[in-house]
Amino acid sequence: MTEKSTTRRSARRAIAIAAGAGAAVGVGVLAAGVGTIFAGMLREAFRAQRAVDDGPDDLLSVPQQPPRRITVESSGGVRLNVERYGPADADGDVVVMVHGWTCNTAYWYPQINHLAGDRPVIAYDQRGHGASELGRVRPTIAMLGQDLNRVIEATVPNGRRAILVGHSMGGMTIMSWAAQYADQVSSRVSSVVLTSTAAKAVMQNHMLIPVGLPRYTKPFESTVGRLVTSSPIPVPHTDRAAWLSHYIALGPQARKAHVDFVDAMIMACPPRSRAGWGSAMGKLDVTAGLDALRVPTTVVVGTEDRLTPPVHAEEMAEVLRRNGVLRELVSLEGVGHMSSIEASVRYNELLDEVLAEVTRPEPAGSTARS
């Protein structure tokens, strides 16, 4: 072997060693940054005031009257579990409730228990949640709207309209539907309630990361967001996991009955579904659907919502106000992301107001509230 070839070989080896060392340093820096952020989140969750243990919430009880279950087939042959509550012969517009990410139809128990005595109420499990199939195709935001369209077709009789009520990913579902079926909005829907949701950039504007962390963690915040929402890792059901659910999803003064209910519901969501839909929301932009909502629309948000903070509600309300269809922007003081559970009494009163306005004939020339 010549001296020249030996030199080249040594150079290549030095480059390989340097590259390996650089990669190791990069992995180490990533691990340090991500680890510091997760440690900060856990520290905040564990230091926070524990939930108020003031007994059970009767509104969270399983409805006494069991639902009539319907299987609705959507795109890709996916079968959706749909539940119909209320009198079979009830007249009037049909309340269609669309739950959020990692939840299921039980999320709406406080509203079903309040409304279903004399009002037709539809609740369904989103793909991959509850008793609905996920399917083999990668989840997309467009699928959410297509699934809702199939549910409306199957459950809202001709000549009647739906009152669409969506929470979190359920609100995104409504806007996805409106974007794809804009010509049907006014004929198929009488009113909309968008609760704790967003029309775009949901992963860029969350408030899960504690303030005051070292500056070097800033570049890793998006990585942490993706890990929290898009990783299919099973989450153990422990008291400390419930503390984290409280920190992420509910307000600081939440009741223990609400925290336990929400934590059990989140834990029941299959990891693959949680990850698939979390990844889909990373590409969220349903602003076209928001603009297509040309019916009275109410926007609801909790002041302590970490997942879809008030900035989203304010932006959506501004678009709706500009279009002349904002019914009301409702801010629930001290309430977190699970707003219709945490503030169920106020939320149910709000739904009563919406239903009364839909039932009452509007005077000529009337407009939505601003």
Side-chain angles (χ1 to χ4, degrees), residues 101 200-206 225 229-230 277-279 281-283:
W101 180 56
K200 63 179 180 179
V202 67
M203 295 305 178
Q204 290 74 31
N205 290 313
H206 65 75
T229 59
S230 306
W277 286 115
S279 178
M281 286 190 292
K283 307 173 184 67

Side-chain angles (χ1 to χ4, degrees), residues 28-343:
V29 171
L30 174 65
V34 169
T36 300
I37 293 173
F38 271 119
M41 291 171 61
L42 291 171
R43 185 165 57 249
E44 288 290 312
F46 297 158
R47 286 179 177 176
Q49 181 177 336
R50 298 280 72 84
V52 179
D53 189 357
D54 58 354
D57 182 350
D58 291 340
L59 282 174
L60 291 176
S61 301
V62 176
Q64 291 186 356
Q65 187 66 37
R68 290 176 291 284
R69 297 184 185 276
I70 309 165
T71 298
V72 171
E73 186 171 313
S74 192
S75 58
V78 166
R79 291 176 294 183
L80 304 175
N81 173 59
V82 181
E83 301 175 1
R84 189 187 192 283
Y85 293 87
D89 57 351
D91 296 324
D93 292 352
V94 179
V95 180
V96 178
M97 315 198 85
V98 194
H99 71 73
W101 180 56
T102 73
C103 298
N104 53 56
T105 57
Y107 176 84
W108 297 114
Y109 279 174
Q111 286 66 56
I112 293 168
N113 282 319
H114 176 70
L115 293 174
D118 56 7
R119 168 72 61 170
V121 177
I122 301 296
Y124 71 97
D125 289 319
Q126 299 256 34
R127 284 184 184 232
H129 296 73
S132 289
E133 298 172 345
L134 177 61
R136 297 184 178 183
V137 180
R138 181 188 297 273
T140 67
I141 297 299
M143 283 180 188
L144 295 174
Q146 293 158 15
D147 289 348
L148 174 56
N149 191 59
R150 288 292 298 118
V151 171
I152 293 173
E153 289 178 340
T155 61
V156 180
N158 289 332
R160 293 165 67 180
R161 294 189 293 175
I163 299 165
L164 298 180
V165 183
H167 170 258
S168 190
M169 193 173 78
M172 301 167 199
T173 299
I174 293 170
M175 288 181 275
S176 171
W177 173 81
Q180 296 176 78
Y181 305 92
D183 60 330
Q184 298 184 33
V185 171
S186 296
S187 62
R188 300 294 281 157
V189 175
S190 57
S191 193
V192 170
V193 181
L194 300 175
T195 310
S196 306
T197 190
K200 63 179 180 179
V202 67
M203 295 305 178
Q204 290 74 31
N205 290 313
H206 65 75
M207 298 179 66
L208 296 177
I209 311 299
V211 298
L213 293 179
R215 186 178 299 177
Y216 73 83
T217 63
K218 192 70 178 175
F220 307 108
E221 290 184 359
S222 61
T223 301
V224 170
R226 288 194 298 272
L227 288 172
V228 169
T229 59
S230 306
S231 173
I233 300 173
V235 180
H237 188 60
T238 66
D239 287 343
R240 295 202 170 193
W243 295 352
L244 193 58
S245 294
H246 182 179
Y247 170 79
I248 291 173
L250 296 99
Q253 303 297 321
R255 297 173 61 180
K256 186 175 186 299
H258 295 168
V259 172
D260 291 346
F261 183 85
V262 167
D263 183 61
M265 187 164 49
I266 293 172
M267 294 303 115
C269 182
R272 178 170 165 253
S273 178
R274 183 185 71 235
W277 286 115
S279 178
M281 286 190 292
K283 307 173 184 67
L284 178 73
D285 187 348
V286 287
T287 51
L290 177 66
D291 196 53
L293 290 176
R294 298 308 176 104
V295 295
T297 300
T298 306
V299 179
V300 183
V301 68
T303 61
E304 304 302 316
D305 190 337
R306 295 181 186 275
L307 289 172
T308 53
V311 62
H312 290 291
E314 292 159 5
E315 290 175 352
M316 291 188 298
E318 181 54 37
V319 172
L320 296 165
R321 184 181 292 112
R322 189 166 61 243
N323 290 340
V325 294
L326 177 65
R327 180 191 168 275
E328 188 176 7
L329 170 59
V330 179
S331 181
L332 300 172
E333 189 66 33
V335 170
H337 187 64
M338 300 298 187
S339 48
S340 52
I341 289 177
E342 295 177 73

